[in-house]
Amino acid sequence: MLKNLSIKKLIIGDENVKALKSIKPLVEEINGYEKRISDLSDEELQKQTTLLKKRLSDGEHLDVLLPEAFATVREVAKRTLGERHYDVQLMGGIALHQGNISEMRTGEGKTLVATLPTYLNALTGLGVHVITVNDYLSRRDVVWMGQIYSALGLSVSVINQDSSYLYDPNHAPAVKEGTEADEERDALGSFKVQYAFLRPCTRREAYEADVTYGTNNEFGFDYLRDNIEYEKSSLRQRKHNFAIVDEVDSILIDEARTPLIISAPAEESGKLYEAFSRIAKQLKENEHYTVDEKLRAISLTDDGIEKAENMLGIGNIYTEKGVKYVHHLETAVRAQALFNRDKEYVVRDGEIVIVDEFTGRLQPGRRWSEGLHQAIESKEGVPVQKESRTFASVTFQNYFRMYEKLSGMTGTAVTSSEEFYKVYGISTIAIPTHKDPERQDLHDLIFQTEEGKFTAIARKVKELHETKQPVLIGTVSIEKNELLSAYLKREGVPHEVLNAKKHEQEGEIIAQAGKKGGVTIATNMAGRGVDIKLGVNPTTKEKYEEVKKLGGLFVLGTERHEARRIDNQLRGRSGRQGDPGATQFFVSLEDSLMRVFASDTIKKMMGRFGIPEDQPIENGLITKSLESAQTKIEGFNFDSRKQTLSYDDVLNHQRETVYERRRSILNGTDEDVDALLGEITLGDEKVARNVEEKKKALGEKDFYTTTRKLLLQAQDMLWVEHLEIMDYMRSSVNLRAYGQRDPLIEYRKEGLRLFHEMKESVTETVLRLLPNIGAGAYNQEQQKLTETHANARLIGNNVSDTKAAQNTPRDGDGKKIGRNDPCFCGSGKKYKKCHGK
């Protein structure tokens, strides 16, 4: 096993050497242009863009233009930012242009690296998307790097959750003067005034820019919003040409298990959630249910089921109430046993807000599916919001695979290179550092208890603080942040606490973590993408040198994370660009990773040492056990993401078919609409005549406007129902494994059959309504379709992913449809037996 692992590492190493070897001649070619380009005036430099675009339109390939284009960007960066790309940064830029992941250590200037391939690929006029992990970073990077793009005559924009902006060098609010302002700007690596040079614009204008910055969530949601729009003028995005994903492992791996969903409230189930929450609180672990922490799952015992049945006053929950009640019971117990306040979520303004497990950031607007979010709301006693109905969804894997070319940057990608290649088809290239690293990675210190560990951490931090060496402490949750803060207060150590509750100040706080005497507690991934420079103002050499002599930034990890990448990312906050620094992890046997995965033998062995709980030991066996546990969990999570993707691939093919048809209806000509009607009517002479009569009666303009709306609404109404059916089927096919049938194959077969049925239903709906266009009966039917999609349009017209209005079915006069009234779809069934079922 170890021998095979060594061979695998050797092969990966050889591939990396070969990749770097092929890149180096290009770096020399870029350097060969430096003298000629540096002699150009500012005006001549800007004309370079026109000249390069002309050569591209004349048939030259981007690869041929690369050396001169990169040399041009480097010269502009020197003149606007006072920064010249190092050779290793050129290497990183080449790797990105070639559609790879550039692994570059923290502090190596990835933000500046991205300008090289971004500029080159923007010459095509098809647009380049630069993806960041939060709104703060996207605004910062546009204000900072926008100076380069603007000097080269390119337009650049940024999309945020609630707004969009174009970079405009003439749109500059007043910036305060003086030493303090200078220090703030330098600490952030850009302007303290986040909106300097940013002029508000529409979403569509932002996407029409040559370069668009924004978060993965916003790009993904805008794609979904575009595919529930009814007006061509409301569309936002254009072709998915080239994307550069910053912190690529965080976005394409850590967040890949959670799909993006646009939904709206559906049925009322608040009382059920409250009832089952009360039951869950009275059930005891190991008596009424068991917990599998590895799989994050619970199993009800016979005693637990019996107690729940007694409290509900029913004899057999499975036969009397069916799957729905069992699902509610299990979900309530999961919410009680596996989801903890200030770890997986926080309560803010009477709402449950998810905390991202990898970044520690709040995820407002995101909700857990399958009733879990409502179960947690009931558990915490906040208003239970209605269950949602999905209008559109996509996984990050399938969204980013739409790009013609995809690349990424991070300091920690090699450990996940296999997943990047298998899922996205992109290779990982480790780029050398500009200066040799001087960081010391010290051995883990292992404690028996968490209390002993925190006592020792507080003592260590106090020692470091007394020498004025800056300290950054990484924790795994908000809860641990605040617990450790209490320990430091007890020791009298002044410190800054950074977690999801200080989301907006994140970048500013983390950027200051390297100042002399600073102590910062942060969730492990907080401030990712923000450079920590030694001293408050590295341009003032005295302060920088003082901190350097003290040993640089000391990074202290309070717990090993499930993924090695997260540990490596935390370590990488120290020792940027050859600076000194040190890192060390303090772990205990009560940490979740050790508690779940460490063997009983190790636990017993620790107990026999007789060492005080706040005294550490260093033990190779335990360290290996930790590394083994991390490897196991990474494999398990990879399998989980592959499973999610395998099922979503089935739905993705259907999604692409439906969305392609939607685009052809929205963007197509009147002749395209005629062709589509021809496919639907299948040569029915009767319907065709009726269509021609309607054209004459309504006038061609009104006819095509109304028909487009009919085609879109019929498609959307049945697509929403199809998504619900597919979701239910996803749950049910797992039971077929008991009959020795592969659930995924069953899902594919059933999904294909259901998709064909959905398309037939769309045809039937259109054929039924088409002859009545303009008539009273049609207007009533159209109102039903409009009501069905009121929520989707509300969401689609909103920039952010907000909650939609309640979707209440109504008749042609605007009155609510009762459960026993005829269904609006014309089936002849009662509403409760048809669409209200």
Side-chain angles (χ1 to χ4, degrees):
M1 178 74 179
L2 288 173
K3 186 178 179 183
N4 291 338
L5 187 62
S6 300
I7 291 170
K8 184 179 177 183
K9 283 183 178 176
L10 186 66
I11 292 169
I12 291 171
D14 284 348
E15 290 297 320
N16 203 76
V17 169
K18 280 163 60 178
L20 293 178
K21 193 174 179 180
S22 69
I23 286 173
K24 282 179 180 174
L26 283 171
V27 173
E28 292 170 8
E29 204 175 335
I30 296 165
N31 289 334
Y33 276 97
E34 187 162 19
K35 175 67 172 67
R36 180 172 75 77
I37 297 295
S38 63
D39 288 340
L40 298 176
S41 66
D42 289 350
E43 190 179 337
E44 287 172 327
L45 260 183
Q46 190 171 84
K47 285 180 180 175
Q48 278 286 97
T49 300
T50 306
L51 295 172
L52 291 169
K53 283 185 175 181
K54 175 70 167 58
R55 287 168 58 187
L56 188 64
S57 65
D58 287 344
E60 284 194 59
H61 197 273
L62 284 178
D63 292 346
V64 177
L65 301 180
L66 185 150
E68 189 171 348
F70 275 34
T72 300
V73 174
R74 177 156 70 179
E75 182 59 30
V76 172
K78 280 163 57 182
R79 297 187 193 184
T80 56
L81 306 180
E83 297 187 22
R84 176 186 178 275
H85 294 81
Y86 303 125
D87 284 1
V88 291
Q89 291 177 312
L90 298 179
M91 294 169 72
I94 294 166
L96 291 173
H97 166 69
Q98 293 173 346
N100 299 306
I101 290 171
S102 289
E103 181 181 272
M104 303 181 72
R105 280 185 62 155
T106 302
E108 289 295 303
K110 292 188 287 290
T111 306
L112 188 63
V113 168
T115 58
L116 298 162
T118 298
Y119 171 71
L120 176 62
N121 285 269
L123 294 173
T124 63
L126 298 175
V128 177
H129 294 169
V130 184
I131 320 295
T132 60
V133 292
N134 61 40
D135 283 350
Y136 164 78
L137 287 177
S138 61
R139 287 196 303 270
R140 182 205 71 174
D141 290 356
V142 166
V143 170
W144 194 7
M145 298 299 124
Q147 299 168 74
I148 296 175
Y149 301 122
S150 181
L152 285 165
L154 294 181
S155 56
V156 59
S157 65
V158 57
I159 54 169
N160 283 171
Q161 186 176 3
D162 55 357
S163 50
S164 306
Y165 302 93
L166 282 169
Y167 178 83
D168 182 351
N170 299 315
H171 186 82
V175 180
K176 63 183 179 182
E177 299 298 326
T179 306
E180 183 187 349
D182 292 337
E183 289 182 354
E184 285 176 334
R185 285 199 291 272
D186 285 327
L188 287 175
S190 96
F191 291 95
K192 175 78 166 115
V193 181
Q194 291 184 29
Y195 294 92
F197 311 126
L198 297 182
R199 176 167 54 81
C201 68
T202 66
R203 207 67 151 188
R204 186 164 186 163
E205 286 174 322
Y207 279 111
E208 285 172 351
D210 296 309
V211 182
T212 305
Y213 282 77
T215 64
N216 47 313
N217 280 350
E218 289 310 302
F219 281 105
F221 275 128
D222 280 345
Y223 165 71
L224 293 178
R225 291 172 188 131
D226 276 356
N227 285 290
I228 54 174
E229 285 294 355
Y230 290 151
E231 302 293 336
K232 184 178 178 179
S233 59
S234 300
L235 298 179
R236 302 157 184 79
Q237 292 185 343
R238 48 181 177 152
K239 185 179 178 182
H240 293 84
N241 174 43
F242 176 41
I244 299 175
V245 183
D246 194 9
E247 307 299 353
V248 66
D249 52 330
S250 174
I251 291 171
L252 295 192
I253 291 182
D254 296 338
E255 297 192 36
R257 282 181 289 176
T258 308
L260 292 173
I261 298 173
I262 285 183
S263 59
E267 61 179 292
E268 181 76 69
S269 300
K271 291 181 181 176
L272 272 181
Y273 285 110
E274 291 167 12
F276 282 102
S277 183
R278 284 196 298 272
I279 293 171
K281 286 175 180 175
Q282 295 184 51
L283 301 184
K284 297 175 183 175
E285 187 176 346
N286 297 326
E287 180 182 348
H288 299 119
Y289 62 89
T290 58
V291 176
D292 187 328
E293 291 193 69
K294 293 182 185 179
L295 299 177
R296 287 193 62 75
I298 60 97
S299 295
L300 292 164
T301 64
D302 290 343
D303 287 345
I305 293 167
E306 187 177 340
K307 179 159 187 173
E309 287 171 340
N310 290 337
M311 292 179 73
L312 288 166
I314 56 178
N316 188 326
I317 192 171
Y318 289 92
T319 57
E320 292 182 42
K321 295 297 183 180
V323 175
K324 185 174 181 179
Y325 269 44
V326 176
H327 172 73
H328 271 292
L329 176 58
E330 290 178 341
T331 303
V333 175
R334 276 187 71 214
Q336 189 70 32
L338 293 170
F339 290 80
N340 305 295
R341 185 170 179 163
D342 287 342
K343 186 177 180 186
E344 283 82 13
Y345 64 89
V346 297
V347 179
R348 191 176 72 172
D349 300 329
E351 291 187 357
I352 302 297
V353 182
I354 296 173
V355 175
D356 186 281
E357 63 175 306
F358 296 100
T359 65
R361 296 188 181 100
L362 294 184
Q363 302 286 301
R366 295 276 283 273
R367 293 178 65 80
W368 283 297
S369 58
E370 298 176 353
L372 176 61
H373 211 98
Q374 287 86 349
I376 293 172
E377 287 169 334
S378 182
K379 167 191 169 183
E380 293 292 347
V382 301
V384 177
Q385 296 177 23
K386 297 186 177 180
E387 290 181 4
S388 57
R389 192 177 195 196
T390 299
F391 283 94
S393 71
V394 69
T395 59
F396 281 127
Q397 289 110 318
N398 275 320
Y399 174 73
F400 282 107
R401 292 198 300 189
M402 288 193 299
Y403 283 88
E404 292 291 321
K405 184 164 66 175
L406 178 66
S407 65
M409 307 179 291
T410 181
T412 47
V414 169
T415 54
S416 300
S417 56
E418 180 187 359
E419 182 165 356
F420 283 124
Y421 188 76
K422 285 187 174 178
V423 176
Y424 301 99
I426 46 182
S427 300
T428 302
I429 299 177
I431 306 297
T433 54
H434 174 56
K435 295 179 181 177
D436 292 335
E438 291 189 21
R439 190 184 75 212
Q440 287 183 296
D441 293 331
L442 305 173
H443 292 300
D444 292 4
L445 295 182
I446 301 150
F447 300 82
Q448 292 190 59
T449 66
E450 183 177 74
E451 185 177 350
K453 177 183 73 173
F454 279 145
T455 301
I457 289 171
R459 191 166 58 232
K460 174 69 173 178
V461 173
K462 185 177 182 180
E463 290 170 10
L464 292 167
H465 180 65
E466 285 172 353
T467 70
K468 299 299 181 185
Q469 182 175 4
V471 185
L472 174 64
I473 308 165
T475 66
V476 295
S477 68
I478 298 167
E479 178 191 17
K480 303 296 184 193
N481 254 11
E482 294 174 348
L483 179 60
L484 184 55
S485 177
Y487 276 84
L488 290 184
K489 284 176 184 171
R490 202 164 64 196
E491 291 288 341
V493 179
H495 59 279
E496 187 78 57
V497 179
L498 172 60
N499 55 37
K501 293 180 179 179
K502 292 187 177 179
H503 182 69
E504 290 304 316
Q505 297 85 28
E506 177 182 301
E508 298 170 35
I509 293 171
I510 208 74
Q512 301 271 353
K515 68 184 179 183
K516 186 177 177 181
V519 177
T520 309
I521 306 175
T523 44
N524 281 352
M525 298 291 284
R528 186 169 184 173
V530 178
D531 205 1
I532 301 177
K533 297 177 181 177
L534 299 184
V536 177
N537 185 355
T539 57
T540 308
K541 289 293 180 187
E542 292 77 16
K543 291 183 180 179
Y544 170 68
E545 292 299 335
E546 279 178 39
V547 178
K548 196 174 176 182
K549 286 175 186 174
L550 292 169
L553 180 66
F554 192 103
V555 168
L556 194 155
T558 60
E559 197 168 324
R560 286 284 196 163
H561 199 276
E562 286 185 357
R564 288 170 294 170
R565 287 180 298 97
I566 310 300
D567 292 343
N568 293 338
Q569 182 72 29
L570 180 62
R571 285 194 196 276
R573 309 318 298 267
S574 176
R576 60 177 293 280
Q577 292 199 4
D579 284 344
T583 70
Q584 189 165 37
F585 280 89
F586 285 49
V587 299
S588 85
L589 290 185
E590 292 180 347
D591 294 348
S592 59
L593 194 69
M594 290 298 288
R595 192 181 71 249
V596 175
F597 287 94
S599 68
D600 291 336
T601 307
I602 292 172
K603 293 173 183 174
K604 288 174 185 173
M605 181 183 70
M606 284 289 289
R608 287 202 302 269
F609 283 141
I611 298 172
E613 62 178 20
D614 63 340
Q615 293 298 311
I617 67 160
E618 293 183 38
N619 185 283
L621 181 62
I622 296 176
T623 301
K624 283 180 182 175
S625 176
L626 265 173
E627 291 170 355
S628 173
Q630 287 178 311
T631 306
K632 283 179 188 173
I633 296 172
E634 286 168 6
F636 176 79
N637 288 339
F638 183 18
D639 290 341
S640 171
R641 289 188 291 270
K642 278 199 299 186
Q643 180 80 343
T644 299
L645 185 59
S646 296
Y647 280 92
D648 192 62
D649 279 343
V650 177
L651 198 57
N652 193 54
H653 174 71
Q654 300 176 1
R655 181 190 299 117
E656 287 177 348
T657 303
V658 169
Y659 286 178
E660 180 60 39
R661 183 162 174 161
R662 271 191 122 268
R663 284 191 292 272
S664 68
I665 296 169
L666 266 181
N667 299 323
T669 62
D670 292 346
E671 288 75 18
D672 293 327
V673 174
D674 283 332
L676 192 56
L677 289 175
E679 288 177 26
I680 291 172
T681 59
L682 292 175
D684 190 322
E685 300 299 338
K686 185 179 178 182
V687 177
R689 280 200 309 274
N690 202 296
V691 166
E692 290 305 316
E693 289 170 6
K694 292 298 177 186
K695 276 186 193 176
K696 291 175 184 175
L698 296 174
E700 290 207 354
K701 184 178 178 182
D702 285 348
F703 171 80
Y704 284 115
T705 299
T706 308
T707 303
R708 272 193 172 87
K709 201 168 187 180
L710 167 62
L711 291 168
L712 290 171
Q713 290 182 326
Q715 174 76 76
D716 288 356
M717 179 184 74
L718 292 158
W719 173 242
V720 169
E721 291 177 2
H722 179 71
L723 287 176
E724 288 180 349
I725 295 168
M726 291 291 284
D727 194 42
Y728 289 132
M729 187 181 62
R730 167 81 189 273
S731 303
S732 67
V733 291
N734 289 322
L735 298 174
R736 301 186 190 184
Y738 294 109
Q740 304 302 308
R741 286 186 287 177
D742 186 326
L744 181 58
I745 293 174
E746 293 293 305
Y747 183 76
R748 283 188 189 127
K749 281 165 47 182
E750 289 289 307
L752 184 62
R753 180 183 63 79
L754 289 166
F755 188 59
H756 285 313
E757 286 182 6
M758 183 207 75
K759 289 198 290 186
E760 289 172 7
S761 297
V762 171
T763 298
E764 289 170 8
T765 303
V766 173
L767 283 173
R768 189 181 74 249
L769 297 180
L770 202 57
N772 298 317
I773 286 179
Y778 171 78
N779 290 336
Q780 289 186 17
E781 289 279 10
Q782 180 106 20
Q783 170 121 10
K784 314 294 192 311
L785 291 174
T786 302
E787 288 288 343
T788 303
H789 287 64
N791 292 342
R793 287 209 307 285
L794 279 169
I795 298 169
N797 290 333
N798 201 332
V799 171
S800 60
D801 182 38
T802 55
K803 298 167 195 145
Q806 185 179 358
N807 182 16
T808 307
R810 300 175 185 274
D811 64 18
D813 298 321
K815 295 177 182 175
K816 291 183 180 179
I817 297 176
R819 285 176 49 75
N820 292 310
D821 291 340
C823 188
F824 59 77
C825 71
S827 64
K829 298 179 183 177
K830 290 183 178 179
Y831 175 71
K832 69 180 181 183
K833 294 288 187 182
C834 192
H835 280 80
K837 191 174 182 180

